[in-house]
Amino acid sequence: MTLLAVERTVTVFTAHVVETEGMLARIAVMLNPYDVRELALSLDEGTLSITVEGEGFDAGRVAARLDKVIGVLEVTYS
């Protein structure tokens, strides 16, 4: 039996952060209803990485939402 890998479209958002208390809860609310697959916060590097699966959404709009969270700086995506 051979399993075939399924190609999925994902967009990864990365932001530098300066404040972390309550940030994940605020971000979870802001990203509803997007299909968030991974949310990783590195306190050592001061970065937040969010992976959203799917097509048909405006990545620039998601980045703008993230940019409005207090403590989030320099949002990029690929």
Side-chain angles (χ1 to χ4, degrees):
M1 178 178 189
T2 303
L3 296 176
L4 299 174
V6 177
E7 282 291 320
R8 296 183 180 179
T9 301
V10 297
T11 304
V12 178
F13 297 85
T14 304
H16 291 281
V17 296
V18 293
E19 187 273 328
T20 58
E21 270 194 49
M23 180 183 292
L24 297 180
R26 288 191 303 272
I27 290 171
V29 169
M30 291 182 80
L31 293 180
N32 186 26
Y34 299 107
D35 191 4
V36 175
R37 291 298 172 169
E38 182 179 2
L39 190 106
L41 177 63
S42 171
L43 297 177
D44 291 333
E45 295 177 15
T47 59
L48 172 69
S49 178
I50 302 166
T51 301
V52 178
E53 184 176 328
E55 296 180 39
F57 67 90
D58 184 348
R61 189 173 187 185
V62 174
R65 281 186 180 189
L66 292 172
D67 200 35
K68 291 181 181 181
V69 175
I70 295 171
V72 172
L73 310 171
E74 301 176 42
V75 178
T76 61
Y77 58 92
S78 59

Coordinates of all heavy atoms in Angstrom, one line a residue:
M1 N 0.8 -1.2 0.0 CA 0.0 0.0 0.0 C 0.9 1.2 0.0 O 1.8 1.4 0.8 CB -0.9 0.0 1.2 CG -1.8 1.2 1.4 SD -2.8 0.9 2.9 CE -3.9 2.2 2.7
T2 N 0.7 2.1 -0.9 CA 1.4 3.4 -1.0 C 0.6 4.5 -0.7 O -0.5 4.7 -1.2 CB 1.9 3.5 -2.5 OG1 2.7 2.4 -2.9 CG2 2.8 4.8 -2.6
L3 N 1.1 5.3 0.3 CA 0.3 6.5 0.7 C 0.8 7.7 -0.1 O 2.0 7.9 -0.3 CB 0.5 6.8 2.2 CG 0.0 5.8 3.1 CD1 0.3 6.1 4.5 CD2 -1.5 5.7 3.0
L4 N -0.1 8.5 -0.7 CA 0.3 9.7 -1.4 C 0.2 10.9 -0.6 O -0.8 11.1 0.2 CB -0.6 9.8 -2.6 CG -0.6 8.7 -3.7 CD1 -1.6 8.9 -4.7 CD2 0.8 8.6 -4.3
A5 N 1.2 11.7 -0.7 CA 1.2 13.0 0.1 C 0.2 13.9 -0.5 O 0.1 14.1 -1.8 CB 2.6 13.6 0.1
V6 N -0.6 14.6 0.3 CA -1.6 15.5 -0.2 C -1.0 16.9 -0.1 O -0.6 17.3 1.0 CB -2.9 15.4 0.6 CG1 -3.9 16.5 0.2 CG2 -3.5 14.1 0.5
E7 N -1.0 17.6 -1.2 CA -0.5 19.0 -1.2 C -1.5 19.9 -0.6 O -2.7 19.9 -1.0 CB -0.2 19.5 -2.7 CG 1.1 18.9 -3.2 CD 2.3 19.5 -2.5 OE1 2.3 20.7 -2.2 OE2 3.3 18.8 -2.3
R8 N -1.2 20.7 0.3 CA -2.1 21.6 1.0 C -1.4 23.0 0.9 O -0.2 23.2 1.1 CB -2.3 21.3 2.4 CG -3.0 19.9 2.6 CD -3.3 19.6 4.0 NE -4.0 18.4 4.1 CZ -4.3 17.8 5.2 NH1 -4.1 18.4 6.4 NH2 -4.9 16.7 5.2
T9 N -2.3 24.0 0.7 CA -1.8 25.3 0.6 C -1.8 25.9 2.1 O -2.8 25.8 2.8 CB -2.7 26.2 -0.2 OG1 -2.8 25.7 -1.5 CG2 -2.3 27.7 -0.3
V10 N -0.6 26.4 2.5 CA -0.5 27.0 3.8 C 0.2 28.3 3.7 O 1.0 28.6 2.8 CB 0.2 26.1 4.8 CG1 -0.5 24.8 5.1 CG2 1.6 25.8 4.4
T11 N -0.2 29.2 4.6 CA 0.5 30.5 4.7 C 1.0 30.7 6.1 O 0.3 30.4 7.0 CB -0.5 31.7 4.4 OG1 -1.2 31.5 3.1 CG2 0.1 33.0 4.4
V12 N 2.3 31.0 6.2 CA 2.9 31.1 7.5 C 3.2 32.6 7.8 O 3.8 33.3 7.0 CB 4.3 30.4 7.5 CG1 5.0 30.6 8.8 CG2 4.1 28.9 7.2
F13 N 2.6 33.1 8.9 CA 2.8 34.5 9.3 C 3.8 34.5 10.4 O 3.8 33.6 11.3 CB 1.4 35.0 9.9 CG 0.4 35.1 8.8 CD1 -0.4 34.0 8.6 CD2 0.1 36.3 8.2 CE1 -1.4 34.0 7.6 CE2 -0.9 36.3 7.2 CZ -1.6 35.2 6.9
T14 N 4.7 35.4 10.4 CA 5.7 35.6 11.4 C 5.7 37.0 11.9 O 5.7 37.9 11.1 CB 7.1 35.2 10.9 OG1 7.1 33.9 10.4 CG2 8.2 35.3 12.0
A15 N 5.8 37.2 13.2 CA 5.8 38.5 13.8 C 6.8 38.6 14.9 O 7.0 37.6 15.7 CB 4.4 38.9 14.3
H16 N 7.5 39.7 15.1 CA 8.3 40.0 16.3 C 7.3 40.5 17.4 O 6.4 41.2 17.1 CB 9.4 41.0 16.0 CG 10.4 40.5 15.1 ND1 11.4 39.7 15.5 CD2 10.6 40.7 13.8 CE1 12.2 39.4 14.5 NE2 11.7 40.0 13.4
V17 N 7.5 40.0 18.6 CA 6.6 40.4 19.7 C 7.4 40.9 20.9 O 8.6 40.6 21.1 CB 5.8 39.1 20.1 CG1 4.9 38.6 19.0 CG2 6.7 38.0 20.6
V18 N 6.7 41.8 21.6 CA 7.4 42.4 22.8 C 6.6 42.2 24.0 O 7.0 42.4 25.1 CB 7.6 43.9 22.6 CG1 8.6 44.2 21.5 CG2 6.3 44.7 22.2
E19 N 5.3 41.7 23.9 CA 4.5 41.5 25.0 C 3.7 40.1 24.8 O 3.3 39.9 23.7 CB 3.4 42.6 25.1 CG 2.6 42.6 26.4 CD 1.3 41.7 26.2 OE1 0.8 41.6 25.1 OE2 0.9 41.1 27.2
T20 N 3.7 39.3 25.8 CA 3.1 38.0 25.6 C 1.9 37.6 26.5 O 1.1 36.8 26.1 CB 4.2 36.9 25.8 OG1 4.7 37.0 27.2 CG2 5.3 37.0 24.8
E21 N 1.7 38.3 27.6 CA 0.6 37.9 28.5 C -0.7 38.3 27.8 O -1.0 39.4 27.4 CB 0.7 38.7 29.8 CG 1.4 37.9 30.8 CD 1.2 38.5 32.2 OE1 0.1 38.7 32.6 OE2 2.3 38.7 32.9
G22 N -1.6 37.3 27.6 CA -2.9 37.4 27.0 C -2.9 37.5 25.5 O -3.9 37.5 24.9
M23 N -1.7 37.5 24.9 CA -1.5 37.7 23.5 C -2.2 36.5 22.7 O -2.9 36.7 21.7 CB -0.1 37.8 23.1 CG 0.1 37.9 21.5 SD 1.9 38.0 21.1 CE 2.3 39.6 21.8
L24 N -1.9 35.3 23.1 CA -2.4 34.1 22.4 C -3.9 34.1 22.4 O -4.6 33.7 21.4 CB -1.8 32.8 23.0 CG -0.3 32.7 22.9 CD1 0.2 31.4 23.4 CD2 0.1 32.8 21.4
A25 N -4.5 34.5 23.5 CA -6.0 34.5 23.6 C -6.6 35.5 22.6 O -7.5 35.3 21.9 CB -6.5 34.8 25.0
R26 N -5.9 36.7 22.6 CA -6.4 37.8 21.7 C -6.2 37.3 20.2 O -7.1 37.6 19.4 CB -5.6 39.1 21.9 CG -6.0 39.7 23.2 CD -5.4 41.1 23.3 NE -4.0 41.2 23.1 CZ -3.1 41.1 24.1 NH1 -3.5 40.9 25.4 NH2 -1.8 41.2 23.9
I27 N -5.1 36.7 19.9 CA -4.9 36.2 18.5 C -5.9 35.1 18.1 O -6.4 35.1 17.0 CB -3.4 35.8 18.4 CG1 -2.5 37.0 18.4 CG2 -3.2 35.0 17.1 CD1 -1.1 36.7 18.5
A28 N -6.1 34.2 19.1 CA -7.1 33.1 18.8 C -8.5 33.7 18.4 O -9.1 33.2 17.4 CB -7.2 32.2 19.9
V29 N -8.9 34.7 19.1 CA -10.2 35.3 18.8 C -10.1 36.0 17.4 O -11.0 35.9 16.6 CB -10.6 36.3 19.9 CG1 -11.7 37.2 19.5 CG2 -10.9 35.6 21.2
M30 N -9.0 36.7 17.2 CA -8.9 37.5 15.9 C -8.8 36.6 14.7 O -9.2 37.0 13.6 CB -7.7 38.4 15.9 CG -7.8 39.5 16.9 SD -6.4 40.6 16.9 CE -6.7 41.5 15.4
L31 N -8.3 35.4 14.8 CA -8.1 34.5 13.7 C -9.3 33.5 13.4 O -9.2 32.7 12.5 CB -6.8 33.7 13.8 CG -5.6 34.6 13.8 CD1 -4.3 33.7 13.9 CD2 -5.5 35.3 12.5
N32 N -10.3 33.7 14.2 CA -11.5 32.9 14.0 C -12.2 33.5 12.8 O -12.3 34.7 12.7 CB -12.4 32.9 15.2 CG -13.6 32.0 15.1 OD1 -13.6 31.0 14.4 ND2 -14.7 32.4 15.8
P33 N -12.5 32.8 11.8 CA -12.7 31.4 11.5 C -11.6 30.8 10.6 O -11.9 29.7 10.0 CB -14.0 31.4 10.7 CG -13.9 32.6 9.8 CD -13.2 33.6 10.7
Y34 N -10.4 31.4 10.5 CA -9.4 30.8 9.7 C -8.9 29.4 10.2 O -9.1 29.2 11.4 CB -8.2 31.8 9.6 CG -8.5 33.1 9.0 CD1 -8.6 34.2 9.8 CD2 -8.8 33.2 7.7 CE1 -9.0 35.4 9.3 CE2 -9.2 34.4 7.1 CZ -9.3 35.5 7.9 OH -9.6 36.7 7.4
D35 N -8.4 28.6 9.3 CA -8.0 27.2 9.7 C -6.6 27.3 10.2 O -5.6 26.9 9.5 CB -8.2 26.3 8.5 CG -8.0 24.9 8.8 OD1 -7.9 24.5 10.0 OD2 -8.0 24.0 7.9
V36 N -6.4 27.7 11.5 CA -5.1 27.8 12.1 C -4.6 26.4 12.4 O -5.2 25.6 13.1 CB -5.1 28.7 13.3 CG1 -3.7 28.7 14.0 CG2 -5.5 30.1 13.0
R37 N -3.4 26.0 11.9 CA -2.9 24.6 12.1 C -1.7 24.6 13.1 O -1.5 23.6 13.7 CB -2.4 24.1 10.7 CG -3.5 23.7 9.8 CD -4.3 22.7 10.4 NE -5.5 22.4 9.7 CZ -6.3 21.4 9.9 NH1 -6.0 20.6 10.9 NH2 -7.4 21.2 9.2
E38 N -1.1 25.8 13.2 CA 0.0 25.8 14.2 C 0.2 27.3 14.7 O 0.1 28.2 13.9 CB 1.3 25.4 13.5 CG 2.5 25.4 14.5 CD 3.8 24.9 13.8 OE1 3.8 24.6 12.6 OE2 4.8 24.8 14.5
L39 N 0.5 27.4 16.0 CA 0.7 28.7 16.6 C 1.9 28.4 17.5 O 1.8 27.6 18.5 CB -0.5 29.1 17.4 CG -0.5 30.5 17.9 CD1 -1.4 31.4 17.1 CD2 -0.9 30.5 19.3
A40 N 3.0 29.0 17.2 CA 4.2 28.8 18.0 C 4.8 30.1 18.5 O 5.0 31.0 17.7 CB 5.3 28.1 17.2
L41 N 5.1 30.3 19.8 CA 5.6 31.5 20.3 C 7.0 31.2 20.9 O 7.1 30.3 21.7 CB 4.7 32.0 21.4 CG 5.1 33.2 22.2 CD1 5.2 34.4 21.3 CD2 4.2 33.5 23.4
S42 N 8.0 31.9 20.4 CA 9.4 31.7 21.0 C 9.7 32.9 21.9 O 9.9 34.0 21.4 CB 10.4 31.6 19.8 OG 11.7 31.7 20.4
L43 N 9.8 32.6 23.1 CA 10.1 33.7 24.1 C 11.6 34.1 23.9 O 11.9 35.3 24.1 CB 9.8 33.3 25.5 CG 8.3 33.0 25.8 CD1 8.1 32.5 27.2 CD2 7.4 34.2 25.5
D44 N 12.4 33.1 23.6 CA 13.8 33.5 23.4 C 14.1 34.4 22.3 O 14.9 35.3 22.4 CB 14.7 32.2 23.3 CG 14.7 31.3 24.5 OD1 14.6 31.9 25.6 OD2 14.9 30.1 24.4
E45 N 13.4 34.1 21.1 CA 13.6 34.9 19.9 C 12.7 36.1 19.8 O 12.8 37.0 19.0 CB 13.5 34.0 18.7 CG 14.5 33.0 18.6 CD 14.3 32.1 17.4 OE1 13.5 32.4 16.5 OE2 15.0 31.0 17.3
G46 N 11.6 36.1 20.6 CA 10.6 37.1 20.6 C 9.8 37.1 19.3 O 9.5 38.1 18.7
T47 N 9.5 35.8 18.8 CA 8.7 35.7 17.6 C 7.5 34.8 17.8 O 7.5 33.9 18.6 CB 9.6 35.1 16.4 OG1 10.1 33.8 16.8 CG2 10.8 36.0 16.1
L48 N 6.5 35.1 16.9 CA 5.3 34.3 16.9 C 5.1 33.8 15.5 O 5.2 34.6 14.5 CB 4.1 35.2 17.3 CG 2.7 34.7 17.1 CD1 2.5 33.6 18.1 CD2 1.7 35.8 17.2
S49 N 4.9 32.5 15.3 CA 4.7 31.9 14.0 C 3.3 31.3 14.0 O 2.9 30.5 14.9 CB 5.7 30.9 13.7 OG 5.5 30.2 12.5
I50 N 2.5 31.6 13.0 CA 1.1 31.1 12.8 C 1.0 30.5 11.4 O 1.3 31.2 10.4 CB 0.1 32.2 13.0 CG1 0.2 32.9 14.3 CG2 -1.3 31.7 12.8 CD1 -0.5 34.2 14.5
T51 N 0.6 29.2 11.3 CA 0.4 28.6 10.1 C -1.1 28.4 9.8 O -1.8 27.8 10.7 CB 1.0 27.2 10.0 OG1 2.4 27.4 10.3 CG2 0.8 26.5 8.7
V52 N -1.6 29.0 8.7 CA -3.0 28.9 8.4 C -3.1 28.1 7.1 O -2.5 28.3 6.1 CB -3.6 30.3 8.1 CG1 -5.1 30.3 7.7 CG2 -3.5 31.2 9.4
E53 N -4.0 27.1 7.1 CA -4.2 26.2 5.9 C -5.4 26.7 5.1 O -6.4 27.3 5.7 CB -4.5 24.8 6.4 CG -4.6 23.8 5.2 CD -4.9 22.4 5.7 OE1 -4.3 22.0 6.7 OE2 -5.5 21.7 4.9
G54 N -5.3 26.6 3.8 CA -6.4 26.9 2.9 C -6.1 28.0 1.9 O -5.0 28.6 2.0
E55 N -7.0 28.1 1.0 CA -6.9 29.1 -0.1 C -8.1 30.0 0.0 O -9.1 29.7 0.7 CB -6.8 28.5 -1.4 CG -5.6 27.6 -1.6 CD -5.6 27.0 -3.0 OE1 -6.0 27.6 -4.0 OE2 -5.2 25.8 -3.1
G56 N -8.1 31.1 -0.7 CA -9.2 32.0 -0.8 C -9.4 33.0 0.3 O -10.4 33.7 0.3
F57 N -8.4 33.2 1.1 CA -8.5 34.2 2.1 C -7.5 35.3 1.8 O -6.5 35.0 1.1 CB -8.4 33.7 3.6 CG -7.0 33.2 3.9 CD1 -6.0 34.0 4.4 CD2 -6.7 31.8 3.7 CE1 -4.8 33.5 4.8 CE2 -5.5 31.3 4.0 CZ -4.5 32.1 4.6
D58 N -7.6 36.5 2.3 CA -6.7 37.6 2.0 C -5.6 37.6 3.1 O -5.9 38.0 4.2 CB -7.5 38.9 2.0 CG -6.7 40.1 1.7 OD1 -5.5 40.0 1.7 OD2 -7.3 41.2 1.5
A59 N -4.5 37.1 2.8 CA -3.3 37.0 3.7 C -3.0 38.4 4.2 O -2.6 38.6 5.4 CB -2.1 36.3 3.1
G60 N -3.1 39.4 3.4 CA -2.7 40.8 3.8 C -3.7 41.3 4.9 O -3.3 42.0 5.8
R61 N -4.9 40.9 4.8 CA -5.9 41.2 5.8 C -5.7 40.6 7.1 O -5.8 41.2 8.2 CB -7.3 40.9 5.3 CG -8.4 41.4 6.1 CD -9.8 41.1 5.4 NE -10.8 41.7 6.2 CZ -12.1 41.6 5.9 NH1 -12.5 40.9 4.9 NH2 -13.0 42.2 6.6
V62 N -5.2 39.3 7.1 CA -4.9 38.6 8.3 C -3.7 39.2 8.9 O -3.6 39.5 10.1 CB -4.6 37.1 8.0 CG1 -4.1 36.4 9.2 CG2 -5.8 36.4 7.5
A63 N -2.7 39.6 8.1 CA -1.5 40.2 8.6 C -1.8 41.6 9.3 O -1.3 41.9 10.3 CB -0.4 40.5 7.5
A64 N -2.8 42.3 8.7 CA -3.2 43.6 9.2 C -3.9 43.4 10.6 O -3.7 44.2 11.5 CB -4.1 44.3 8.3
R65 N -4.7 42.3 10.7 CA -5.3 42.0 12.0 C -4.3 41.7 13.0 O -4.4 42.2 14.2 CB -6.2 40.8 11.9 CG -7.5 41.0 11.2 CD -8.4 39.8 11.3 NE -9.7 39.9 10.7 CZ -10.7 39.1 10.8 NH1 -10.5 37.9 11.4 NH2 -11.8 39.3 10.2
L66 N -3.3 40.9 12.7 CA -2.2 40.6 13.6 C -1.4 41.8 14.0 O -1.0 42.0 15.2 CB -1.3 39.5 13.1 CG -1.9 38.2 12.9 CD1 -0.9 37.3 12.1 CD2 -2.2 37.5 14.2
D67 N -1.2 42.7 13.1 CA -0.4 43.9 13.4 C -1.1 44.8 14.4 O -0.5 45.7 15.0 CB -0.2 44.7 12.0 CG 0.9 45.6 12.1 OD1 1.9 45.3 12.8 OD2 0.8 46.7 11.5
K68 N -2.4 44.7 14.6 CA -3.2 45.5 15.5 C -3.1 45.0 16.9 O -3.6 45.7 17.9 CB -4.6 45.6 15.1 CG -4.8 46.5 13.8 CD -6.2 46.6 13.4 CE -6.3 47.4 12.1 NZ -7.7 47.6 11.7
V69 N -2.6 43.8 17.1 CA -2.5 43.2 18.5 C -1.4 43.9 19.2 O -0.3 44.0 18.7 CB -2.2 41.7 18.4 CG1 -2.0 41.1 19.8 CG2 -3.4 41.0 17.7
I70 N -1.7 44.4 20.4 CA -0.7 45.1 21.2 C 0.5 44.1 21.5 O 0.3 43.0 21.9 CB -1.3 45.6 22.6 CG1 -2.3 46.6 22.3 CG2 -0.2 46.1 23.5 CD1 -3.1 47.0 23.5
G71 N 1.7 44.6 21.2 CA 2.9 43.8 21.4 C 3.4 43.1 20.2 O 4.4 42.4 20.2
V72 N 2.6 43.1 19.1 CA 3.0 42.4 17.8 C 3.6 43.5 16.9 O 3.1 44.6 16.7 CB 1.8 41.8 17.1 CG1 2.2 41.3 15.7 CG2 1.3 40.6 18.0
L73 N 4.8 43.2 16.4 CA 5.5 44.1 15.5 C 5.9 43.3 14.2 O 6.1 42.1 14.2 CB 6.8 44.6 16.1 CG 6.7 45.1 17.6 CD1 8.1 45.3 18.1 CD2 6.0 46.4 17.5
E74 N 6.1 44.1 13.1 CA 6.7 43.5 11.9 C 6.1 42.2 11.4 O 6.8 41.2 11.3 CB 8.2 43.4 12.0 CG 8.9 44.6 12.4 CD 10.4 44.4 12.6 OE1 11.0 43.6 11.9 OE2 10.9 44.9 13.6
V75 N 4.8 42.2 11.0 CA 4.2 40.9 10.6 C 4.6 40.7 9.1 O 4.5 41.6 8.3 CB 2.7 41.0 10.7 CG1 2.0 39.7 10.1 CG2 2.2 41.3 12.1
T76 N 5.0 39.5 8.8 CA 5.3 39.1 7.4 C 4.6 37.8 7.2 O 4.2 37.1 8.1 CB 6.8 38.9 7.2 OG1 7.3 37.9 8.1 CG2 7.6 40.2 7.5
Y77 N 4.5 37.4 5.9 CA 3.9 36.1 5.6 C 4.5 35.6 4.3 O 5.0 36.3 3.5 CB 2.4 36.2 5.5 CG 1.8 37.1 4.6 CD1 1.5 36.8 3.3 CD2 1.5 38.5 4.9 CE1 0.9 37.6 2.4 CE2 1.0 39.4 4.0 CZ 0.7 39.0 2.8 OH 0.1 39.8 1.9
S78 N 4.4 34.3 4.1 CA 4.9 33.6 2.9 C 4.1 32.4 2.6 O 3.4 31.9 3.5 CB 6.3 33.2 3.1 OG 6.5 32.3 4.2

